[in-house]
Protein backbone atom coordinates (compact mmCIF):
# COMPACT_ATOMS: atom_id res chain seq x y z
CA UNK A 1 0.00 0.00 0.00
CA UNK A 2 1.26 3.45 -0.88
CA UNK A 3 1.90 5.73 2.07
CA UNK A 4 -0.52 8.26 0.55
CA UNK A 5 -3.36 5.73 0.74
CA UNK A 6 -2.50 4.73 4.30
CA UNK A 7 -2.49 8.38 5.36
CA UNK A 8 -5.90 8.85 3.71
CA UNK A 9 -7.23 5.84 5.62
CA UNK A 10 -5.73 7.16 8.84
CA UNK A 11 -7.23 10.63 8.37
CA UNK A 12 -10.69 9.31 7.54
CA UNK A 13 -10.88 6.65 10.25
CA UNK A 14 -9.66 9.03 12.96
CA UNK A 15 -12.33 11.60 12.05
CA UNK A 16 -15.31 11.42 14.38
CA UNK A 17 -18.86 11.45 13.07
CA UNK A 18 -21.71 9.26 14.22
CA UNK A 19 -25.17 9.06 12.65
CA UNK A 20 -26.73 12.48 12.23
CA UNK A 21 -23.45 14.20 13.14
CA UNK A 22 -21.38 13.61 10.00
CA UNK A 23 -20.25 17.22 9.42
CA UNK A 24 -16.48 16.65 9.92
CA UNK A 25 -16.45 13.74 7.47
CA UNK A 26 -18.60 15.67 4.98
CA UNK A 27 -16.18 18.62 5.07
CA UNK A 28 -13.25 16.27 4.41
CA UNK A 29 -15.05 14.59 1.50
CA UNK A 30 -15.96 17.95 -0.03
CA UNK A 31 -12.38 19.20 0.12
CA UNK A 32 -10.94 16.05 -1.43
CA UNK A 33 -13.65 15.49 -4.09
CA UNK A 34 -13.88 19.02 -5.49
CA UNK A 35 -10.72 18.82 -7.67
CA UNK A 36 -11.77 15.42 -9.05
CA UNK A 37 -15.35 16.05 -10.24
CA UNK A 38 -17.38 18.48 -12.31
CA UNK A 39 -19.78 19.41 -9.54
CA UNK A 40 -20.57 18.75 -5.87
CA UNK A 41 -24.20 18.28 -4.81
CA UNK A 42 -25.96 17.46 -1.54
CA UNK A 43 -29.21 15.78 -0.66
CA UNK A 44 -31.57 17.17 1.96
CA UNK A 45 -30.22 15.04 4.83
CA UNK A 46 -26.59 15.94 4.19
CA UNK A 47 -25.29 13.25 1.84
CA UNK A 48 -22.54 14.58 -0.43
CA UNK A 49 -21.83 13.46 -4.01
CA UNK A 50 -19.45 14.46 -6.76
CA UNK A 51 -20.64 14.24 -10.36
CA UNK A 52 -18.52 13.36 -13.38
CA UNK A 53 -20.89 14.23 -16.20
CA UNK A 54 -21.38 12.45 -19.50
CA UNK A 55 -24.00 13.14 -22.15
CA UNK A 56 -27.67 13.37 -21.21
CA UNK A 57 -28.39 10.08 -23.01
CA UNK A 58 -25.78 8.13 -21.09
CA UNK A 59 -26.77 6.05 -18.06
CA UNK A 60 -26.34 7.29 -14.51
CA UNK A 61 -24.28 5.19 -12.12
CA UNK A 62 -24.18 5.88 -8.38
CA UNK A 63 -21.43 4.79 -5.99
CA UNK A 64 -22.28 5.44 -2.34
CA UNK A 65 -20.34 5.02 0.86
CA UNK A 66 -21.77 6.20 4.16
CA UNK A 67 -20.05 8.70 6.41
CA UNK A 68 -21.45 7.75 9.79
CA UNK A 69 -19.87 5.44 12.33
CA UNK A 70 -21.53 3.85 15.34
CA UNK A 71 -21.63 6.03 18.45
CA UNK A 72 -24.00 7.36 21.07
CA UNK A 73 -26.33 10.26 21.80
CA UNK A 74 -26.46 11.81 25.24
CA UNK A 75 -30.05 11.69 26.49
CA UNK A 76 -29.84 12.75 30.15
CA UNK A 77 -27.35 14.44 32.46
CA UNK A 78 -27.58 12.88 35.90
CA UNK A 79 -27.29 14.91 39.12
CA UNK A 80 -23.77 13.55 39.67
CA UNK A 81 -22.59 14.80 36.24
CA UNK A 82 -22.61 11.43 34.46
CA UNK A 83 -24.58 10.82 31.27
CA UNK A 84 -27.18 8.36 30.11
CA UNK A 85 -27.10 7.57 26.40
CA UNK A 86 -28.81 5.74 23.57
CA UNK A 87 -26.75 3.87 20.96
CA UNK A 88 -26.54 5.16 17.39
CA UNK A 89 -26.05 1.95 15.45
CA UNK A 90 -25.53 -1.59 16.67
CA UNK A 91 -23.24 -2.22 19.66
CA UNK A 92 -22.31 -5.39 21.51
CA UNK A 93 -22.86 -4.17 25.10
CA UNK A 94 -19.78 -6.03 26.32
CA UNK A 95 -17.38 -3.90 24.24
CA UNK A 96 -18.78 -0.52 25.31
CA UNK A 97 -17.38 -0.21 28.85
CA UNK A 98 -14.04 1.36 29.81
CA UNK A 99 -13.33 2.95 26.45
CA UNK A 100 -12.31 6.45 25.42
CA UNK A 101 -14.73 8.70 23.56
CA UNK A 102 -15.15 12.33 22.55
CA UNK A 103 -18.18 14.26 23.75
CA UNK A 104 -19.03 16.80 21.04
CA UNK A 105 -20.96 19.89 22.20
CA UNK A 106 -21.79 23.34 20.85
CA UNK A 107 -19.07 24.82 23.06
CA UNK A 108 -16.33 22.31 22.27
CA UNK A 109 -15.19 18.71 22.33
CA UNK A 110 -14.36 17.01 25.63
CA UNK A 111 -12.70 13.70 26.60
CA UNK A 112 -15.12 11.13 27.92
CA UNK A 113 -15.00 7.49 29.06
CA UNK A 114 -17.60 4.78 29.41
CA UNK A 115 -18.19 3.38 32.87
CA UNK A 116 -17.59 -0.13 34.16
CA UNK A 117 -17.79 -1.96 37.47
CA UNK A 118 -14.38 -2.77 38.98
CA UNK A 119 -13.96 -6.45 39.91
CA UNK A 120 -13.31 -5.41 43.50
CA UNK A 121 -16.90 -4.18 43.75
CA UNK A 122 -18.28 -7.46 42.45
CA UNK A 123 -16.73 -9.59 45.20
CA UNK A 124 -19.14 -11.22 47.58
CA UNK A 125 -22.08 -10.78 45.25
CA UNK A 126 -23.63 -12.75 42.46
CA UNK A 127 -21.61 -10.96 39.80
CA UNK A 128 -22.70 -8.45 37.20
CA UNK A 129 -26.21 -8.67 35.81
CA UNK A 130 -27.03 -9.13 32.16
CA UNK A 131 -25.69 -5.96 30.55
CA UNK A 132 -27.61 -3.65 28.23
CA UNK A 133 -25.98 -0.80 26.31
CA UNK A 134 -28.20 1.70 28.08
CA UNK A 135 -26.89 0.45 31.48
CA UNK A 136 -23.47 1.94 30.70
CA UNK A 137 -23.02 5.50 31.95
CA UNK A 138 -20.56 7.94 30.38
CA UNK A 139 -18.20 10.05 32.43
CA UNK A 140 -16.48 13.28 31.35
CA UNK A 141 -15.29 14.08 34.84
CA UNK A 142 -17.94 16.67 35.70
CA UNK A 143 -18.93 16.77 39.36
CA UNK A 144 -22.57 17.76 38.85
CA UNK A 145 -25.28 18.34 36.28
CA UNK A 146 -24.81 22.09 36.74
CA UNK A 147 -21.08 21.90 36.01
CA UNK A 148 -21.67 19.84 32.87
CA UNK A 149 -24.24 22.32 31.64
CA UNK A 150 -21.83 25.21 32.27
CA UNK A 151 -19.52 23.58 29.70
CA UNK A 152 -22.32 23.51 27.14
CA UNK A 153 -23.31 19.87 27.57
CA UNK A 154 -26.91 19.22 26.51
CA UNK A 155 -29.15 16.25 25.68
CA UNK A 156 -28.79 15.50 21.98
CA UNK A 157 -24.99 15.87 21.95
CA UNK A 158 -23.02 13.07 20.31
CA UNK A 159 -20.41 10.79 21.87
CA UNK A 160 -17.97 9.20 19.41
CA UNK A 161 -15.22 6.57 19.80
CA UNK A 162 -11.63 7.81 20.02
CA UNK A 163 -8.85 5.56 18.66
CA UNK A 164 -5.58 5.76 16.74
CA UNK A 165 -5.14 4.05 13.35
CA UNK A 166 -2.05 1.83 13.13
CA UNK A 167 -0.57 -1.01 11.06
CA UNK A 168 0.05 -4.49 12.44
CA UNK A 169 3.64 -5.69 12.93
CA UNK A 170 3.70 -7.68 9.69
CA UNK A 171 2.42 -4.72 7.67
CA UNK A 172 -0.43 -6.77 6.19
CA UNK A 173 -3.33 -5.37 8.22
CA UNK A 174 -4.55 -2.12 9.71
CA UNK A 175 -6.27 -1.56 13.06
CA UNK A 176 -8.68 1.37 13.39
CA UNK A 177 -12.11 2.43 14.46
CA UNK A 178 -14.86 3.28 11.94
CA UNK A 179 -13.63 1.17 9.00
CA UNK A 180 -17.38 0.71 8.72
CA UNK A 181 -17.62 2.81 6.73
CA UNK A 182 -14.65 5.06 6.17
CA UNK A 183 -13.57 2.18 3.95
CA UNK A 184 -16.24 3.31 1.50
CA UNK A 185 -15.26 6.97 1.80
CA UNK A 186 -11.64 6.05 1.10
CA UNK A 187 -12.64 3.89 -1.86
CA UNK A 188 -14.73 6.68 -3.41
CA UNK A 189 -11.80 9.11 -3.24
CA UNK A 190 -9.30 6.57 -4.57
CA UNK A 191 -11.58 5.68 -7.49
CA UNK A 192 -12.29 9.32 -8.38
CA UNK A 193 -8.56 10.00 -8.36
CA UNK A 194 -7.84 7.00 -10.60
CA UNK A 195 -10.63 7.98 -13.04
CA UNK A 196 -9.95 11.72 -13.03
CA UNK A 197 -8.76 11.80 -16.65
CA UNK A 198 -10.93 8.91 -17.91
CA UNK A 199 -13.83 9.48 -20.29
CA UNK A 200 -16.56 7.29 -18.85
CA UNK A 201 -19.58 5.95 -20.72
CA UNK A 202 -21.91 7.13 -17.96
CA UNK A 203 -22.53 9.99 -15.58
CA UNK A 204 -20.84 8.98 -12.36
CA UNK A 205 -22.40 10.08 -9.06
CA UNK A 206 -19.95 9.15 -6.30
CA UNK A 207 -19.95 10.14 -2.66
CA UNK A 208 -21.36 9.25 0.73
CA UNK A 209 -24.69 9.05 2.50
CA UNK A 210 -25.59 9.86 6.09
CA UNK A 211 -27.35 7.82 8.80
CA UNK A 212 -26.78 4.35 7.35
CA UNK A 213 -26.13 2.83 10.77
CA UNK A 214 -29.58 3.78 12.07
CA UNK A 215 -31.67 2.14 9.37
CA UNK A 216 -30.27 2.93 5.90
CA UNK A 217 -31.93 6.34 6.09
CA UNK A 218 -29.58 8.37 3.91
CA UNK A 219 -29.69 6.34 0.71
CA UNK A 220 -33.40 6.89 0.08
CA UNK A 221 -33.23 10.69 -0.42
CA UNK A 222 -29.96 10.52 -2.36
CA UNK A 223 -31.22 7.86 -4.77
CA UNK A 224 -34.47 9.77 -5.18
CA UNK A 225 -32.52 12.96 -5.95
CA UNK A 226 -29.96 11.57 -8.38
CA UNK A 227 -32.10 8.88 -10.07
CA UNK A 228 -29.33 6.40 -10.92
CA UNK A 229 -29.79 3.48 -13.29
CA UNK A 230 -27.39 1.34 -11.24
CA UNK A 231 -26.35 1.63 -7.59
CA UNK A 232 -23.15 0.37 -5.96
CA UNK A 233 -22.79 0.53 -2.20
CA UNK A 234 -19.19 0.43 -0.97
CA UNK A 235 -19.33 -0.84 2.60
CA UNK A 236 -17.54 -2.95 5.19
CA UNK A 237 -18.99 -6.15 6.64
CA UNK A 238 -18.26 -8.39 9.60
CA UNK A 239 -15.51 -10.99 9.15
CA UNK A 240 -16.24 -14.43 10.57
CA UNK A 241 -12.90 -16.18 10.48
CA UNK A 242 -11.35 -16.22 13.96
CA UNK A 243 -12.64 -19.72 14.84
CA UNK A 244 -12.93 -21.39 11.44
CA UNK A 245 -13.19 -20.58 7.76
CA UNK A 246 -15.27 -23.68 7.11
CA UNK A 247 -18.87 -22.69 6.45
CA UNK A 248 -18.34 -19.04 7.37
CA UNK A 249 -18.29 -15.86 5.30
CA UNK A 250 -15.82 -13.00 5.40
CA UNK A 251 -12.19 -14.09 5.61
CA UNK A 252 -9.34 -11.61 5.88
CA UNK A 253 -6.88 -11.75 3.01
CA UNK A 254 -9.17 -13.56 0.53
CA UNK A 255 -10.25 -10.56 -1.52
CA UNK A 256 -13.19 -8.26 -2.03
CA UNK A 257 -16.66 -9.46 -1.03
CA UNK A 258 -19.12 -10.49 -3.72
CA UNK A 259 -22.36 -10.21 -1.75
CA UNK A 260 -25.05 -12.45 -3.17
CA UNK A 261 -27.64 -12.18 -0.38
CA UNK A 262 -28.54 -10.31 2.77
CA UNK A 263 -31.86 -9.90 4.62
CA UNK A 264 -32.67 -6.76 2.65
CA UNK A 265 -31.37 -7.49 -0.84
CA UNK A 266 -30.79 -10.24 -3.37
CA UNK A 267 -28.10 -9.39 -5.90
CA UNK A 268 -29.71 -9.82 -9.31
CA UNK A 269 -28.14 -12.50 -11.53
CA UNK A 270 -26.99 -10.16 -14.31
CA UNK A 271 -25.39 -7.81 -11.75
CA UNK A 272 -23.58 -10.78 -10.22
CA UNK A 273 -22.42 -12.02 -13.63
CA UNK A 274 -21.04 -8.57 -14.51
CA UNK A 275 -19.00 -8.49 -11.30
CA UNK A 276 -17.73 -12.03 -11.86
CA UNK A 277 -16.70 -11.13 -15.41
CA UNK A 278 -14.79 -8.07 -14.19
CA UNK A 279 -13.04 -10.10 -11.48
CA UNK A 280 -12.07 -12.83 -13.94
CA UNK A 281 -10.89 -10.44 -16.66
CA UNK A 282 -8.70 -8.41 -14.30
CA UNK A 283 -7.58 -11.23 -11.96
CA UNK A 284 -9.18 -9.61 -8.92
CA UNK A 285 -9.40 -11.87 -5.85
CA UNK A 286 -12.92 -12.14 -4.47
CA UNK A 287 -14.98 -14.22 -2.07
CA UNK A 288 -18.70 -14.88 -2.06
CA UNK A 289 -20.48 -13.29 0.88
CA UNK A 290 -23.82 -13.92 2.57
CA UNK A 291 -24.60 -11.35 5.24
CA UNK A 292 -26.84 -11.15 8.29
CA UNK A 293 -26.83 -7.34 8.02
CA UNK A 294 -27.70 -4.89 5.29
CA UNK A 295 -26.20 -1.92 3.46
CA UNK A 296 -27.51 1.15 1.67
CA UNK A 297 -28.04 -1.08 -1.36
CA UNK A 298 -30.93 -2.64 0.53
CA UNK A 299 -32.78 0.67 0.61
CA UNK A 300 -31.60 1.90 -2.78
CA UNK A 301 -32.83 -1.04 -4.81
CA UNK A 302 -36.50 -0.46 -3.91
CA UNK A 303 -36.38 3.34 -4.32
CA UNK A 304 -37.93 5.16 -7.31
CA UNK A 305 -39.02 2.52 -9.82
CA UNK A 306 -36.45 0.01 -8.60
CA UNK A 307 -32.68 0.31 -9.05
CA UNK A 308 -30.47 -2.75 -9.66
CA UNK A 309 -28.00 -2.56 -6.78
CA UNK A 310 -25.08 -4.40 -5.28
CA UNK A 311 -22.18 -4.02 -2.85
CA UNK A 312 -18.43 -3.84 -3.46
CA UNK A 313 -17.21 -4.65 0.02
CA UNK A 314 -14.47 -5.80 2.33
CA UNK A 315 -14.64 -7.58 5.65
CA UNK A 316 -13.23 -6.48 8.98
CA UNK A 317 -12.82 -8.26 12.29
CA UNK A 318 -14.54 -6.72 15.31
CA UNK A 319 -16.51 -4.03 13.45
CA UNK A 320 -18.77 -1.69 15.46
CA UNK A 321 -16.11 -1.36 18.16
CA UNK A 322 -13.11 0.87 18.88
CA UNK A 323 -10.72 -1.56 17.18
CA UNK A 324 -11.40 -3.15 13.78
CA UNK A 325 -8.74 -5.17 11.96
CA UNK A 326 -8.79 -5.27 8.17
CA UNK A 327 -6.51 -6.53 5.42
CA UNK A 328 -4.65 -4.23 3.04
CA UNK A 329 -4.84 -6.62 0.08
CA UNK A 330 -8.62 -6.92 0.50
CA UNK A 331 -8.89 -3.15 0.23
CA UNK A 332 -6.68 -3.11 -2.86
CA UNK A 333 -8.82 -5.81 -4.48
CA UNK A 334 -11.99 -3.83 -3.78
CA UNK A 335 -10.42 -0.68 -5.18
CA UNK A 336 -9.43 -2.43 -8.40
CA UNK A 337 -12.89 -3.97 -8.65
CA UNK A 338 -14.64 -0.62 -8.35
CA UNK A 339 -12.33 1.11 -10.84
CA UNK A 340 -12.70 -1.62 -13.44
CA UNK A 341 -16.47 -1.88 -12.91
CA UNK A 342 -16.84 1.84 -13.58
CA UNK A 343 -14.56 1.75 -16.61
CA UNK A 344 -16.62 -1.06 -18.13
CA UNK A 345 -20.05 0.52 -17.83
CA UNK A 346 -21.64 2.19 -20.85
CA UNK A 347 -25.13 2.36 -22.30
CA UNK A 348 -24.97 -1.10 -23.86
CA UNK A 349 -23.59 -2.77 -20.75
CA UNK A 350 -26.08 -1.06 -18.45
CA UNK A 351 -29.00 -2.02 -20.70
CA UNK A 352 -27.76 -5.61 -20.71
CA UNK A 353 -27.56 -5.66 -16.92
CA UNK A 354 -31.02 -4.12 -16.47
CA UNK A 355 -33.00 -5.57 -19.37
CA UNK A 356 -30.91 -8.52 -20.57
CA UNK A 357 -30.46 -7.01 -24.04
Amino acid sequence: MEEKTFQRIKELTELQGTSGFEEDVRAYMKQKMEPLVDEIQYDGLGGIFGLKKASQDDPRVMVAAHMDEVGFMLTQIKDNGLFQVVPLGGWNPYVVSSQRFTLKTSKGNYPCISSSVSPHLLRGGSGQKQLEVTDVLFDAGFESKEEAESFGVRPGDSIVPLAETIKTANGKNIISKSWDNRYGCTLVLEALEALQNEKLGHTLIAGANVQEEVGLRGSKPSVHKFEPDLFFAVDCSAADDIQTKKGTYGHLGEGTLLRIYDPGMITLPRVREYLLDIASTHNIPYQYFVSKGGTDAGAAHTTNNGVPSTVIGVCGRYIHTHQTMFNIKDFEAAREMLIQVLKGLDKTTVNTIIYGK
Side-chain angles (χ1 to χ4, degrees), residues 243-283:
Q243 300 292 342
T244 179
K245 292 184 177 182
K246 187 174 182 179
T248 64
Y249 296 97
H251 308 150
L252 260 63
E254 295 189 5
T256 185
L257 304 182
L258 200 161
R259 178 182 296 237
I260 54 175
Y261 174 86
D262 67 42
M265 187 199 70
I266 298 169
T267 297
L268 297 176
R270 286 190 293 269
V271 175
R272 182 193 64 206
E273 293 307 313
Y274 179 67
L275 294 178
L276 287 169
D277 181 63
I278 291 291
S280 175
T281 300
H282 298 280
N283 298 310

Side-chain angles (χ1 to χ4, degrees), residues 30-46:
K30 178 178 185 293
Q31 178 191 9
K32 301 300 183 181
M33 284 197 300
E34 274 185 323
L36 306 174
V37 298
D38 299 318
E39 183 182 358
I40 297 283
Q41 290 190 23
Y42 302 86
D43 64 50
L45 287 186

Side-chain angles (χ1 to χ4, degrees), residues 141-205:
F142 298 119
E143 295 181 350
S144 67
K145 178 178 181 180
E146 290 74 21
E147 184 183 31
E149 289 176 339
S150 75
F151 279 80
V153 181
R154 298 290 186 273
D157 289 340
S158 68
I159 299 175
V160 198
L162 178 64
E164 180 186 7
T165 299
I166 57 174
K167 290 182 181 177
T168 56
N170 60 9
K172 297 178 181 180
N173 304 289
I174 295 172
I175 300 170
S176 79
K177 71 168 185 63
S178 69
W179 192 230
D180 179 10
N181 184 27
R182 307 294 158 67
Y183 148 71
C185 296
T186 306
L187 201 65
V188 163
L189 295 178
E190 295 267 310
L192 285 174
E193 202 166 69
L195 298 170
Q196 186 175 9
N197 299 314
E198 290 276 338
K199 181 175 174 57
L200 300 175
H202 55 90
T203 289
L204 174 61
I205 306 140

Side-chain angles (χ1 to χ4, degrees), residues 172-338:
K172 297 178 181 180
N173 304 289
I174 295 172
I175 300 170
S176 79
K177 71 168 185 63
S178 69
W179 192 230
D180 179 10
N181 184 27
R182 307 294 158 67
Y183 148 71
C185 296
T186 306
L187 201 65
V188 163
L189 295 178
E190 295 267 310
L192 285 174
E193 202 166 69
L195 298 170
Q196 186 175 9
N197 299 314
E198 290 276 338
K199 181 175 174 57
L200 300 175
H202 55 90
T203 289
L204 174 61
I205 306 140
N209 289 314
V210 297
Q211 298 191 40
E212 190 270 357
E213 297 291 3
V214 288
L216 316 181
R217 298 176 188 178
S219 62
K220 298 172 186 176
S222 65
V223 171
H224 182 74
K225 175 182 176 69
F226 292 109
E227 298 184 322
D229 297 292
L230 294 178
F231 179 94
F232 294 88
V234 281
D235 207 344
C236 174
S237 299
D240 187 6
D241 64 353
I242 62 173
Q243 300 292 342
T244 179
K245 292 184 177 182
K246 187 174 182 179
T248 64
Y249 296 97
H251 308 150
L252 260 63
E254 295 189 5
T256 185
L257 304 182
L258 200 161
R259 178 182 296 237
I260 54 175
Y261 174 86
D262 67 42
M265 187 199 70
I266 298 169
T267 297
L268 297 176
R270 286 190 293 269
V271 175
R272 182 193 64 206
E273 293 307 313
Y274 179 67
L275 294 178
L276 287 169
D277 181 63
I278 291 291
S280 175
T281 300
H282 298 280
N283 298 310
I284 300 169
Y286 69 92
Q287 52 186 305
Y288 287 104
F289 191 71
V290 174
S291 179
K292 295 179 181 179
T295 73
D296 275 336
H301 82 290
T302 57
T303 303
N304 298 343
N305 295 322
V307 182
S309 302
T310 192
V311 186
I312 296 176
V314 293
C315 62
R317 292 179 185 154
Y318 329 120
I319 66 172
H320 286 213
T321 72
H322 278 65
Q323 310 293 345
T324 293
M325 182 179 291
F326 54 94
N327 184 266
I328 289 173
K329 290 192 178 299
D330 291 345
F331 170 78
E332 292 172 341
R335 179 177 59 190
E336 185 66 11
M337 175 70 92
L338 179 59

